[in-house]
Amino acid sequence: MNSETQYEDSVSTLMLENIKNKLINAFRDSGQHAAASCSTNDSCNLVAKDIQANEELRRAKIDGAITWLRTELLEMRSQDRQLAKTLLDLNTEIQRLRQENESSSPDKKPKAVTNNNDLETPFHGSELQ
């Protein structure tokens, strides 16, 4: 793994972790708001358990989404590398063909026609006589 790839991996990991933390905090804030509205001790326990279960479910969904994003990013990176390799191969082939073309025809200038008899002229109706 080269340093550029390691850098990209660390940047994407940091970005995904940041997104994860923002989502967890957003869901945690909504759960705390619901817990603050309970009236009795038993209902608070039920609400707290429900909030905890919902938070665990949300975390699992977030982790699954982040795993999916990582997989997609890795696939995109693989496709990007494959495309770059294809483009480099095409460039190499174009350069090879150019060199081959230049070596097979050293005189690049088109030949000028000096003899008018070599030129074909179209026949016109009046010239056939």
Side-chain angles (χ1 to χ4, degrees), residues 5 11-12 44 52 63 71-72 87-88 96 111 118 128:
T5 304
V11 168
S12 61
C44 284
Q52 184 179 6
D63 287 340
T71 303
E72 290 297 311
L87 291 174
L88 286 173
R96 186 189 66 76
K111 295 181 181 178
D118 290 344
L128 292 175

Side-chain angles (χ1 to χ4, degrees), residues 34-52:
S37 65
C38 66
S39 57
T40 66
N41 199 18
D42 288 337
S43 65
C44 284
N45 287 338
L46 288 174
V47 169
K49 287 180 183 180
D50 188 41
I51 290 171
Q52 184 179 6

Side-chain angles (χ1 to χ4, degrees), residues 96-108:
R96 186 189 66 76
L97 289 171
R98 280 185 183 158
Q99 289 175 352
E100 186 179 298
N101 188 28
E102 288 173 0
S103 65
S104 66
S105 60
D107 187 18
K108 294 180 186 176

Side-chain angles (χ1 to χ4, degrees), residues 23-86:
L23 289 170
I24 288 171
N25 287 335
F27 287 124
R28 185 178 295 137
D29 290 344
S30 66
Q32 288 173 350
H33 176 70
S37 65
C38 66
S39 57
T40 66
N41 199 18
D42 288 337
S43 65
C44 284
N45 287 338
L46 288 174
V47 169
K49 287 180 183 180
D50 188 41
I51 290 171
Q52 184 179 6
N54 284 338
E55 187 170 328
E56 288 176 13
L57 180 62
R58 288 182 190 126
R59 283 185 187 204
K61 287 181 180 180
I62 290 169
D63 287 340
I66 288 173
T67 301
W68 177 81
L69 282 172
R70 281 190 177 123
T71 303
E72 290 297 311
L73 287 171
L74 288 172
E75 178 65 25
M76 288 172 65
R77 182 181 296 146
S78 173
Q79 290 174 355
D80 184 45
R81 287 184 180 149
Q82 186 65 31
L83 180 60
K85 182 184 179 310
T86 301

